[in-house]
Amino acid sequence: MSIFHLPDLGEGLKEAEIVAWHVTAGDHVIADQPLVSVETDKAVVEVPSPFSGTISRLMAKPGEIVPVGGALVVFDSERATDKGSVVGEINVAAPNPKDSLADPPAETVARVKASPAVRKLAAERGVDLAIVAGTGPDGTIQSADVLTAAVGLGEALHGPRRVMARTMERSGTSVVPATVMDHADISAWAADENTTLHLVCAIAAACVAEPALNAWFDGKRRQLHAHVDLAIAMDTPDGLFAPVLRGVNTPRDLASELAALKASVRNRTITPEAMRDATITLSNFGMIGGEHAVLVVVPPQVAILGAGRIGTRITLKDGRPQEQRVLPLSLSFDHRAVTGGEAARFLATVRARLETPSKKG
């Protein structure tokens, strides 16, 4: 027998989540045939078989996190060919008793002592009896044992939500956040204006006027960027995605590129590369609700602009009240690398750009 280990999928990734298996024990596969789909930094990637052979055992279940180099599949024979079909080194070794198995041996299951009623209760509460310590005679699992175990259960974060939690934690331990807020008068806009596209163009202009916010900071060194690679936060049922619109400071048809990015997120065809190395972020959360927000800066970026819900307000002009259509703006920044003056000038440029109807996105 031999074991196929999760290879290095590139970009410095250290682990992947099992999404779905395309094979089962007993299947004969050929080299390059898809074995399993895994999720890495919000993108789903297929891992092909490194050689031809018969599957003996799957070593992880859907939803489990497997580190690079961790066991994926046991083959019941030595490899026939090895084409190097997966990026990175493919480790094939004899089975290790310490490797966790997706399907525990039959003798392990047989040692669980529980009545049919207790087993039914465990299934209803989502409790794995194999990890429950029985308090009954000879270790028999009681209903109370199942209920106690169920109290400690919760929903583990997977996929995009797990990535989001890790990213936000990193931000919370390093960034020194500050926020400035304003409103842009968009009364001159047509009713069918593309708000996101206007914001993209306004950010591009502001990055030229105040480059300090289009930068990376690692805690010691600040790197300013001539290009503006804008991450656009997108809310989905699976969690938060932030695909990157590259080079928005270069004039072109950004509307079609933005639509293509949104479609790739909806269809889950977005690649890991399409969500990396942004220089600044936009969150148009007002499409859902909310006026202003204190947003989270994702390092090494130093700034994120948020747009709230478009509304109206009454102002005085020449002593007479008039109604304005306004777009709330919130700019959060890392105060370690950005001064309050730089942030204020950036936001003022965004506002001026949005209030100039002749400069549409």
Side-chain angles (χ1 to χ4, degrees):
M1 289 189 177
S2 58
I3 292 181
F4 172 44
H5 299 263
L6 178 66
D8 182 355
L9 299 173
E11 301 296 336
L13 297 173
K14 298 181 180 180
E15 61 187 17
E17 178 182 338
I18 302 298
V19 175
W21 286 99
H22 306 305
V23 296
T24 60
D27 288 352
H28 181 79
V29 298
I30 60 175
D32 296 331
Q33 177 179 335
L35 290 177
V36 62
S37 292
V38 300
E39 189 157 37
T40 60
D41 283 357
K42 306 181 184 179
V44 176
V45 179
E46 283 190 347
V47 177
S49 177
F51 48 79
S52 299
T54 301
I55 302 295
S56 174
R57 184 176 297 164
L58 307 181
M59 304 293 279
K61 299 177 181 178
E64 289 187 1
I65 309 299
V66 179
V68 170
L72 276 183
V73 176
V74 176
F75 288 86
D76 70 359
S77 58
E78 294 299 323
R79 58 184 179 180
T81 60
D82 187 348
K83 302 296 185 181
S85 55
V86 181
V87 176
E89 181 180 356
I90 298 174
N91 299 315
V92 179
N96 188 327
K98 295 182 180 179
D99 286 322
S100 60
L101 305 180
D103 301 312
E107 60 269 19
T108 301
V109 176
R111 285 200 294 268
V112 173
K113 296 181 179 180
S115 68
V118 170
R119 292 178 184 274
K120 180 180 178 182
L121 177 63
E124 292 173 348
R125 297 301 179 98
V127 174
D128 182 1
L129 290 176
I131 62 172
V132 177
T135 59
D138 297 324
T140 301
I141 299 174
Q142 310 288 315
S143 296
D145 301 328
V146 173
L147 295 175
T148 299
V151 171
L153 293 179
E155 180 185 0
L157 296 181
H158 296 289
R161 293 187 184 277
R162 181 173 60 90
V163 174
M164 179 181 69
R166 189 168 52 193
T167 301
M168 296 303 115
E169 181 180 18
R170 185 171 72 251
S171 173
T173 58
S174 61
V175 172
V176 178
T179 301
V180 291
M181 302 175 182
D182 206 342
H183 289 83
D185 179 4
I186 58 171
S187 303
W189 286 17
D192 60 349
E193 293 283 3
N194 186 325
T195 303
T196 300
L197 199 56
H198 265 289
L199 288 163
V200 169
C201 295
I203 289 173
C207 286
V208 174
E210 191 50 79
L213 282 84
N214 185 46
W216 288 344
F217 182 62
D218 65 2
K220 296 181 179 179
R221 296 178 177 83
R222 185 182 68 158
Q223 179 181 354
L224 302 180
H225 299 285
H227 59 282
V228 182
D229 289 346
L230 180 62
I232 300 178
M234 295 184 183
D235 177 67
T236 79
D238 294 321
L240 178 66
F241 284 71
V244 181
L245 198 58
R246 307 285 177 186
V248 298
N249 53 321
T250 302
R252 62 185 189 280
D253 180 15
L254 292 172
S256 59
E257 293 183 30
L258 181 59
L261 271 183
K262 290 181 177 180
S264 67
V265 169
R266 285 195 305 269
N267 302 331
R268 295 299 300 276
T269 57
I270 189 86
T271 64
E273 292 74 18
M275 294 184 288
R276 293 197 181 105
D277 298 332
T279 60
I280 190 169
T281 297
L282 165 65
S283 174
N284 190 6
F285 62 86
M287 294 188 297
I288 302 172
E291 183 176 8
H292 287 291
V294 177
L295 302 167
V296 177
V297 178
V298 177
Q301 297 173 54
V302 298
I304 175 173
L305 178 72
R309 180 183 61 250
I310 295 174
T312 58
R313 68 180 179 183
I314 303 299
T315 61
L316 291 177
K317 184 176 182 180
D318 299 328
R320 295 186 177 184
Q322 69 171 9
E323 185 178 84
Q324 286 183 336
R325 189 165 177 246
V326 294
L327 174 61
L329 301 171
S330 302
L331 177 65
S332 294
F333 57 97
D334 187 346
H335 219 330
R336 298 177 304 165
V338 179
T339 69
E342 289 166 338
R345 284 189 291 272
F346 183 95
L347 189 58
T349 303
V350 169
R351 175 181 174 177
R353 181 66 165 76
L354 294 171
E355 292 180 344
T356 307
S358 61
K359 297 181 179 180
K360 295 183 179 180

